[in-house]
Amino acid sequence: MSSDLAPFSSMSDFIQEVIVGFAQGAPRHHHLVFKAHPLEDGRVPMRHTVKETARKNNIGERVLFVGGGKLAPLLNAAKSAVTVNSTAGQQVLWRGLPLKVFGDSVYGKPEFVSGQPLAKFFSDPTPPNSTLYKAYRRYLLQTSQIPGGFYSASGRKRLLRRVVDMMLSAQDPYEVFHPDTAAPQQQFKIVT
């Protein structure tokens, strides 16, 4: 079993469980959208698996598969989200949306993610404690979660300076996270 899919042995198992839970619990006017990971390479026939599993559970017209694109527009229209352990969960929580997580994640705290059975989650999801999540997010951003990203040149430029500073620092980022000793976040712009 892959740790990336824990507790599932395959993506098909995850898809099956989510669709069955949705079919059992979600209001009939709701839709379920599966979005492929940005690095999805097509080796797993996810679109086919989603379509067939939805058809077998008599909700084919309510389940969609999106092969690419940005997550933000989908989340802006969402009522809740389900993931194994994706960093996309951070975007969900930042928006204050209810989140069901199956695997281990840095944000997988009972104050943030739902412990409800999946059918109950889809019928009446428990929202996160947004106040606590925002404080936790600030802590992560000041210690280990560096703003930026790997999928764009601008994202890489944004995180480059912080990564170098953290790697060369004599202090552990968690040790310096004390109000009396924390250094201010550096402001800079890389011009190319």
Side-chain angles (χ1 to χ4, degrees):
M1 182 180 327
S2 168
S3 62
D4 290 350
L5 289 174
F8 303 100
S9 60
S10 70
M11 185 55 77
S12 296
D13 291 346
F14 170 73
I15 291 168
Q16 171 75 24
E17 185 155 340
V18 171
I19 288 177
V20 168
F22 184 82
Q24 292 172 349
R28 297 204 182 277
H29 64 282
H30 285 195
H31 288 79
L32 177 64
V33 178
F34 284 87
K35 183 187 175 309
H37 188 278
L39 299 179
E40 175 61 42
D41 62 6
R43 285 185 284 171
V44 176
M46 286 181 33
R47 182 182 304 275
H48 175 76
T49 302
V50 166
K51 182 178 178 180
E52 283 303 304
T53 306
R55 184 188 60 75
K56 287 176 183 174
N57 284 275
N58 300 313
I59 58 169
E61 70 286 349
R62 297 173 49 208
V63 180
L64 308 166
F65 178 84
V66 177
K70 301 251 182 219
L71 181 60
L74 293 174
L75 291 179
N76 289 341
K79 299 292 183 199
S80 63
V82 177
T83 186
V84 176
N85 63 2
S86 176
T87 55
Q90 296 273 19
Q91 289 187 50
V92 173
L93 292 170
W94 181 76
R95 286 172 169 77
L97 295 172
L99 178 63
K100 176 74 175 172
V101 177
F102 284 101
D104 294 329
S105 62
V106 68
Y107 54 79
K109 314 283 184 229
E111 298 84 3
F112 310 145
V113 301
S114 175
Q116 298 170 287
L118 202 49
K120 178 67 175 164
F121 175 79
F122 280 122
S123 69
D124 186 25
T126 302
N129 182 323
S130 292
T131 302
L132 285 179
Y133 174 72
K134 288 174 184 173
Y136 182 66
R137 183 175 183 272
R138 279 192 305 274
Y139 170 76
L140 291 176
L141 289 173
Q142 292 178 356
T143 56
S144 63
Q145 303 297 304
I146 303 165
F150 294 103
Y151 303 116
S152 69
S154 62
R156 289 187 297 274
K157 286 178 184 179
R158 186 170 183 208
L159 66 81
L160 182 61
R161 176 63 187 263
R162 290 278 312 275
V163 169
V164 172
D165 286 348
M166 290 175 79
M167 288 172 46
L168 297 176
S169 176
Q171 292 183 297
D172 181 286
Y174 297 101
E175 292 173 359
V176 299
F177 186 75
H178 188 276
D180 299 332
T181 61
Q185 186 172 351
Q186 294 184 12
Q187 302 295 318
F188 70 97
K189 180 177 181 179
I190 297 176
V191 180
T192 56

